[in-house]
């Protein structure tokens, strides 16, 4: 393994950027309408448990990547087979993220540009970043991700006059079921996706125990910030528009009085996507190279990215399919990858440790 | 037109990478995996460019989940 | 390591990429310069007799505005008109806007539209359908003002050329915006209208605009809706009562009779809210609470000395006057239109969701038959530069 190190603050910002990836443009809890905030809290707790599980796996298997852990626990052949499934899953969801951002940009700013052109240009940039190494990705996240915080704060402060602070009432109008479904959605997208970091954690340069702190801290910060944004969406747009809108943050940005900041803000919202996709591509290429015993993951980055871009165009025919898939299918599709296999890994690693 | 564009882009990518692999004397499995992924992408994008979209992974997964009975 | 030849290749490649980037950076695929678009400043929508949509646009010509601004007084003969107005009939709003290009030269750019005027006939048949385009399209500004034209078509209003502002749309917008200092018309921006239309337990209201003369408009009064359809009008005083009750008054002048003359009160601060009182799970009365502060703005009475006690007496009269206006608005909403424009139902929906589920479908009837209690707490704080009117020295 090449000797690349990531510092604590870089890891923190990478996780935040990753989590804000698609959630900065889509609202996964919107199906809970005015109880969306409750879904964020419940789903956040569930998702935090998932993240805790991944971190525990990383701590029990220090300086091992996901592929190595899988091979250790399941044996060479089964481990590699599962690893390949994981690679498929990672590539698939990087393709979905590409698609999310492609649809976003095409809908809000460039309606006549073919989406594949936008995704292609985006991908070319990310290939460059990933080829330069995970270190470069994390350093650029150090530069860019703090902007996301600034944007969220600026938007919510500039809209303070248009808030309706009782918009989240009445509580649980449609019962608890939609809330739980939305919470589940939120736990698997984006929090459960943190498992990808099992490919990145080995690069962490401090003691492995610090990892717990950093992961906990970043997840808590993310959940609080997201809760803040959801309340803001509810207060500014109301439940109906929150439910109907395709890209809520863009509408929110366009409502800032006396200014047309939305193009600028749209660009900032893409930052998270950049971080997310580059980590996915890195993880997929790295995992692929480890499965087949190739020394340098960089050789496969172009191939993985190309496939991911093609997949992103191929995977849906229209925007509503994308939304429907993210809400209905994605959470269940994620169960084996985000919950079942990590749970087995955790238990068997724990047993191996105590034996 | 679209097909030609797809072919040109893929030709550039594949030429660039393969020439690098050969120059650096990479093991054959690198080239094999690379070619596999790239040709899969090429086939799909040619089909897409020709306007004949094969059922995508979203549909497979939905179908599989429907088989198990998780999604209605 | 990179050798010199590679380095040379790399820098050349970089340069080429940068040059290519210059081609891409200036704009998007559908880039259009200012000279290639028509800047739409106002839109009017009306339904024609045969059920089609009649869209009127007001387009501004930037060059002409410049020449009118600098060329005033020169008396040059043929000044280009700063705006032109055009109507077109289509099946839908979007259809009309696009088909209109058969008569307009350049693409219509909607982001700059400041005002949307809806026609009376259209409003009576329902506005929800036509608003879909304005939510969906990426060019529409969610902050434009929405108004209802009364006794006049939107096209006639948009054709008014005013001397104050060369762009009529800006003139209209400003007259609506200045409601913060008079509170005689409700200002509604598009996003608020969209939000209100979807709320259960609240009917939207929109500002009213009418023609006051050949060159002027009047934005006074309010249109009340019921289930997305125009149901009637509130006169300026009922409008103010409505605005007081919903806490939307910033400042206004209220005249009260006193001492054989009149006093103009300048409201400087006001907040109001509505609530429903429940007893044994049934609503018993509607409550409107208004707190406001005012100054004496003009005194035309016969009294020579204004004392604190007298101010307290005035506060009572003042409060009664505002109560009357609010009562008028509630009465119109309850008895004449049977439409809950105040959002009493919304309060029930938010704070008593169980009861609301039962009453949701016939809320309008329940609402119309509830007694209303109006509590106005008015304070007179200051009297301006002087205390008393002119007194002859004795």
């Amino acid at each position: 393994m090449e000797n690349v190190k990531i510092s604590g603050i870089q890891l923190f910002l990478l996780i935040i950027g990753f989590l804000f990836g698609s959630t900065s443009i889509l609202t996964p809890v919107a199906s809970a309408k005015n109880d969306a905030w409750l879904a964020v809290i419940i789903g956040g707790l569930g998702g935090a448990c998932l993240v805790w599980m991944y971190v525990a796996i990383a701590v029990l298997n220090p300086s091992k990547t996901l592929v190595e852990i899988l091979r250790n626990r399941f044996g060479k052949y089964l481990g590699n087979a599962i690893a390949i499934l994981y690679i498929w899953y990672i590539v698939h969801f990087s393709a979905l993220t590409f698609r999310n951002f492609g649809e976003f940009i095409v809908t809000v700013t460039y309606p006549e540009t073919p989406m594949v052109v936008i995704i292609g240009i985006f991908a070319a940039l990310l290939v460059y970043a990933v080829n330069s190494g995970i270190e470069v990705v994390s350093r650029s996240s150090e530069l860019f991700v703090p902007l996301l915080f600034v944007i969220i704060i600026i938007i919510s402060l500039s809209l303070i006059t248009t808030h309706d602070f009782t918009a989240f009432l009445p509580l649980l109008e449609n019962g608890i079921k939609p809330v739980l479904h939305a919470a589940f959605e939120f736990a698997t997208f984006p929090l459960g996706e943190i498992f990808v970091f099992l490919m990145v954690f080995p690069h962490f340069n401090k003691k492995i125990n610090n990892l717990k702190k950093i992961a906990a801290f970043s997840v808590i910060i993310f959940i609080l910030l997201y809760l803040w944004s959801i309340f803001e969406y509810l207060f500014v747009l109301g439940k109906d528009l929150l439910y109907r809108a395709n890209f809520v943050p863009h509408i929110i940005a366009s409502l800032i009085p006396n200014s047309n900041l939305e193009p600028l803000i749209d660009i900032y919202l893409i930052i998270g996507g950049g971080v997310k996709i580059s980590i996915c591509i890195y993880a997929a290429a790295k995992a692929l190279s480890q499965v087949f015993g190739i020394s340098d993951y960089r050789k496969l980055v172009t191939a993985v990215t190309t496939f991911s871009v093609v997949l992103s165009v191929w995977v849906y025919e229209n925007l509503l399919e994308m939304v429907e898939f993210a809400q209905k299918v994605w959470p269940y599709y994620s169960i084996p990858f985000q919950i079942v296999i990590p749970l087995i890994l955790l238990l068997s690693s724990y047993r191996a440790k105590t034996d | 037109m679209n097909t030609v564009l797809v072919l040109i882009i893929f030709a550039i990518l594949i030429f660039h990478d393969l020439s690098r692999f050969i120059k650096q004397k990479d093991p054959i499995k690198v080239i094999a995996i690379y070619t596999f992924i790239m040709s899969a992408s090429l086939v799909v994008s040619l089909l897409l460019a020709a306007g004949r979209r094969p059922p995508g992974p979203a549909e497979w997964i939905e179908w599989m989940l429907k088989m198990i009975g998780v999604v209605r | 390591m990179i050798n010199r030849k590679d380095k040379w290749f790399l820098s050349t490649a970089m340069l080429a990429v940068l040059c290519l980037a210059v081609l891409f950076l200036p704009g998007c695929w559908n880039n259009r310069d200012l000279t290639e678009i028509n800047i739409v400043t106002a839109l009017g929508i009306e339904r024609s007799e045969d059920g089609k949509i009649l869209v009127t646009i007001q387009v501004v010509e930037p060059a002409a505005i410049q020449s009118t601004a600098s060329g005033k007084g020169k008396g040059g003969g043929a000044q280009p008109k700063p705006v032109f107005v055009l109507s077109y009939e289509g099946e839908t709003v979007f259809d009309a806007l696009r088909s209109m290009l058969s008569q307009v030269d350049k693409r219509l750019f909607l982001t700059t539209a400041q005002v949307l005027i809806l026609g009376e006939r259209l409003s009576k048949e329902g506005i929800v359908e036509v608003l879909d385009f304005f939510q969906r399209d990426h060019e529409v500004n969610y902050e434009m003002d929405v108004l209802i034209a009364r006794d006049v078509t939107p096209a006639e209003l948009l054709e008014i050329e005013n001397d104050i502002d060369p762009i009529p749309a800006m003139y209209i917008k400003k007259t609506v915006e200045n409601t913060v200092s008079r509170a005689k018309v409700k200002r509604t921006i598009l996003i608020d209208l969209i939000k209100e239309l979807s709320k259960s337990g609240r009917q939207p209201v929109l500002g009213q605009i009418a023609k006051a003369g050949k060159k002027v408009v009047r934005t006074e009064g309010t249109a009340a809706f019921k289930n997305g359809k125009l149901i009637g009008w509130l006169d300026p005083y009922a409008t103010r009562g409505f605005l007081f009750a919903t806490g939307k008054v910033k400042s206004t002048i209220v005249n009260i009779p006193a001492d054989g003359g009149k006093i103009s009160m300048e409201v400087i601060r006001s907040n109001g809210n509505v609530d429903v009182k429940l007893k044994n799970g049934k609503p018993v009365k509607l409550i409107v609470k208004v707190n406001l502060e005012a100054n004496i703005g003009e005194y035309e009475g016969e009294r020579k000395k204004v004392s604190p006690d007298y101010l307290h007496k005035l506060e009572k009269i003042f409060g009664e006057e505002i109560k009357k206006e609010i009562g008028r608005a509630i009465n119109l909403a309850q008895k004449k239109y049977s439409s809950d424009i105040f959002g009493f139902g919304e309060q029930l929906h938010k704070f008593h969701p169980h009861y609301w589920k039962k009453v949701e479908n016939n809320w309008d009837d329940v609402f119309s038959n509830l007694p209303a209690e109006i509590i106005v707490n008015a304070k007179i704080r200051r009297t301006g530069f002087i205390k008393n009117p002119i007194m002859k020295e004795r």
Side-chain angles (χ1 to χ4, degrees), chain C residues 103-345:
Chain C
Q103 297 173 14
V104 184
D105 52 352
K106 293 171 285 190
R107 201 181 75 109
L108 298 171
F109 186 65
L110 296 179
T111 312
T112 45
Q114 304 285 327
V115 185
L116 171 65
I117 298 179
L118 303 172
E120 211 176 321
R121 191 184 300 123
L122 173 95
S123 307
K124 277 182 180 146
E125 285 173 23
I127 56 171
V128 180
E129 296 81 10
V130 293
L131 286 178
D132 187 88
F133 166 74
F134 294 94
Q135 299 166 54
R136 214 175 275 281
D137 193 72
H138 75 288
E139 267 188 4
V140 172
N141 184 358
Y142 271 30
E143 287 175 298
M144 62 180 166
D145 280 287
V146 188
L147 294 162
I148 303 276
R150 184 175 186 182
D151 301 330
V152 61
T153 64
E156 286 173 68
L157 282 168
L158 293 180
E159 271 161 10
I160 289 179
E161 271 179 48
N162 186 275
D163 296 334
I164 307 169
D165 200 316
I167 307 171
M170 291 311 288
Y171 161 66
I172 292 174
K173 187 184 168 70
K174 291 277 154 64
T175 57
V176 181
E177 268 178 0
N178 69 23
T179 189
V180 289
S181 50
R182 61 194 172 100
K184 292 272 180 69
V185 64
K186 179 170 182 275
R187 182 179 178 212
T188 311
I189 57 174
L190 183 60
I191 180 79
D192 288 337
L193 177 63
I194 294 167
K195 276 159 70 177
E196 277 180 14
L197 278 169
S198 74
K199 276 182 181 162
S200 76
R202 179 194 281 276
Q203 304 289 354
V205 287
L206 284 178
Q208 162 195 331
I209 182 168
K211 208 168 169 178
K214 213 177 147 230
K215 283 189 163 183
V216 278
V217 296
R218 185 193 298 124
T219 54
E220 228 176 34
T222 295
F225 280 73
K226 185 174 180 178
N227 303 329
K229 294 189 173 90
L230 176 68
I231 190 165
W233 308 92
L234 301 182
D235 59 75
Y237 290 100
T239 299
R240 188 159 70 185
F242 167 78
L243 293 175
F244 269 123
T246 47
K248 293 203 177 75
V249 174
K250 285 253 160 57
S251 173
T252 181
I253 306 299
V254 181
N255 303 320
I256 57 174
D259 307 333
K262 284 176 200 150
I263 306 178
S264 284
M265 290 291 176
E266 182 190 9
V267 175
I268 49 169
R269 217 161 276 126
S270 158
N271 65 68
N273 52 57
V274 298
D275 204 355
V276 185
K277 197 176 178 197
L278 276 93
K279 211 173 186 180
N280 304 326
K282 285 246 181 289
V284 284
K285 63 181 168 194
L286 311 171
I287 298 174
V288 176
K289 258 194 207 143
V290 178
N291 289 314
L292 54 92
E293 286 179 36
N295 296 339
I296 293 184
E298 187 171 345
Y299 184 92
E300 291 184 5
E302 282 159 7
R303 179 177 284 266
K304 291 299 170 221
K305 194 165 162 36
V306 177
S307 65
D309 283 342
Y310 179 65
L311 282 189
H312 288 307
K313 231 171 80 191
L314 275 186
E315 279 171 357
K316 284 232 172 62
I317 306 172
F318 180 39
E320 286 304 315
E321 190 66 29
I322 287 169
K323 250 188 215 178
K324 239 189 270 167
E325 284 181 2
I326 298 175
R328 189 158 156 180
I330 291 185
N331 199 35
L332 275 175
Q334 281 188 320
K335 303 292 183 257
K336 199 165 169 198
Y337 304 139
S338 178
S339 157
D340 183 5
I341 52 176
F342 291 87
F344 290 106

Side-chain angles (χ1 to χ4, degrees), chain A residues 107-108 110-114 117 164 166-167 169-170 173 236-237 239-241 244 251 254-257, chain C residues 14 24 27-30 32 107 111 135 138 141-143 191 194-195 198-199 346 349-351 353 356-357:
Chain A
T107 306
V108 301
Y110 301 129
E112 282 165 44
T113 312
V117 173
D164 164 21
T166 52
L169 290 168
E173 193 184 14
V236 174
L237 292 186
K239 59 178 170 181
D240 176 65
L241 205 51
R244 285 189 298 138
I251 298 184
S254 70
L255 289 178
I256 297 175
Chain C
M14 278 300 200
F24 287 111
C28 38
W29 208 269
N30 51 334
R32 270 154 190 129
R107 201 181 75 109
T111 312
Q135 299 166 54
H138 75 288
N141 184 358
Y142 271 30
E143 287 175 298
I191 180 79
I194 294 167
K195 276 159 70 177
S198 74
K199 276 182 181 162
E346 196 190 344
H349 183 193
K350 277 182 177 167
F351 297 102
W356 178 249
K357 276 235 165 85

Side-chain angles (χ1 to χ4, degrees), chain A residues 174-241:
Chain A
N174 304 313
I176 191 86
K177 240 177 122 186
V179 179
L180 288 180
H181 191 269
F184 181 39
E185 226 180 277
F186 185 65
T188 56
F189 166 66
L191 283 162
E193 291 167 352
I194 290 286
F195 81 87
V196 177
F197 274 82
L198 282 174
M199 299 300 296
V200 180
F201 284 151
H203 295 306
F204 183 52
N205 70 353
K206 294 274 162 42
K207 261 205 238 114
I208 197 80
N209 280 335
N210 279 0
L211 199 61
K212 283 182 185 166
K213 274 187 221 153
I214 289 166
F217 191 56
S218 41
V219 167
I220 289 169
I221 294 277
F222 167 73
I223 292 172
L224 289 180
L225 270 178
Y226 200 66
L227 198 60
W228 170 280
S229 332
I230 283 289
F231 271 121
E232 175 200 323
Y233 298 163
L234 267 176
F235 292 162
V236 174
L237 292 186
K239 59 178 170 181
D240 176 65
L241 205 51

